[in-house]
Amino acid sequence: MEDTKQPAPAARRQLVDDALEEMVQHGPSGMMRSIRRWSSGRLSMVNLHVLMALAHEGALPMHAIAESLDVSQASTTGIIDRMEELGYVTRERDEDDRRVVNVVLTDAGHELIADLATERRERLAQMLGTMTDEDLAALTQGLRALRAARECLADEHGHGARPSARA
């Protein structure tokens, strides 16, 4: 029978603190450098936020993008203008209410999202390739436990679990 004994509360707190420290080690400035490298400097964090929101939600009205970015609609207009010039988004009138302007990803926007995902996966594969089999197995087990905990919390808070990505 497997030993399911939990560590003492102080030891468990230390384990949680250690895990948190490892998880946040790659801070915002490092993330920004990675994102800029991945996108060859073409995107700001604001542009990336808009692209990801559109990829996840589909077409969004300008006011929803402004709200998501926590900026004015006038600022959003400038952001979307630049993204439209780059060919990543387009504006379309809402079929039910012609006063509403929706922002939609173009084929180039979808392609950029796919390219970013591919590049991210390749970079992660390079990192994982440097690890031992034992470390990879432990990491996979930990990531699966983290996903299960996230899904459990989402269920408890009534958010429902998002479909799991392939490991």
Side-chain angles (χ1 to χ4, degrees):
M1 190 163 158
E2 190 177 318
D3 183 15
T4 58
K5 209 163 104 175
Q6 294 288 318
R12 181 165 177 78
R13 268 194 308 278
Q14 185 61 51
L15 287 171
V16 168
D17 287 347
D18 290 348
L20 284 171
E21 185 60 32
E22 289 301 321
M23 292 171 76
V24 299
Q25 206 48 213
H26 191 62
S29 63
M31 259 187 249
M32 239 343 254
R33 278 192 306 275
S34 293
I35 288 168
R36 288 198 184 268
R37 252 194 327 268
W38 286 348
S39 66
S40 303
R42 297 174 286 192
L43 298 176
S44 68
M45 285 298 288
V46 170
N47 296 149
L48 187 63
H49 180 98
V50 171
L51 287 171
M52 293 302 174
L54 293 171
H56 183 260
E57 301 290 331
L60 290 172
M62 291 287 284
H63 71 85
I65 294 172
E67 188 176 298
S68 174
L69 295 172
D70 196 25
V71 299
S72 69
Q73 279 202 277
S75 293
T76 304
T77 297
I79 292 163
I80 299 304
D81 283 347
R82 181 165 186 280
M83 293 180 71
E84 201 167 28
E85 287 169 12
L86 293 169
Y88 299 135
V89 300
T90 190
R91 291 177 172 99
E92 296 178 356
R93 292 275 177 200
D94 190 275
E95 291 179 13
D96 297 327
D97 185 345
R98 302 285 299 154
R99 296 169 298 174
V100 175
V101 176
N102 291 315
V103 179
V104 180
L105 277 179
T106 62
D107 289 343
H110 283 288
E111 189 176 314
L112 178 62
I113 296 280
D115 289 348
L116 290 171
T118 297
E119 246 182 275
R120 178 175 181 261
R121 191 172 181 88
E122 288 170 358
R123 288 181 189 272
L124 287 170
Q126 286 176 338
M127 284 190 291
L128 295 172
T130 68
M131 297 172 66
T132 65
D133 290 351
E134 293 79 20
D135 286 345
L136 279 171
L139 177 62
T140 301
Q141 180 180 357
L143 290 171
R144 286 178 179 151
L146 186 62
R147 182 181 56 203
R150 182 181 65 235
E151 290 171 355
C152 180
L153 284 175
D155 287 345
E156 284 178 13
H157 296 315
H159 300 300
R162 288 187 179 155
S164 300
R166 257 184 12 199

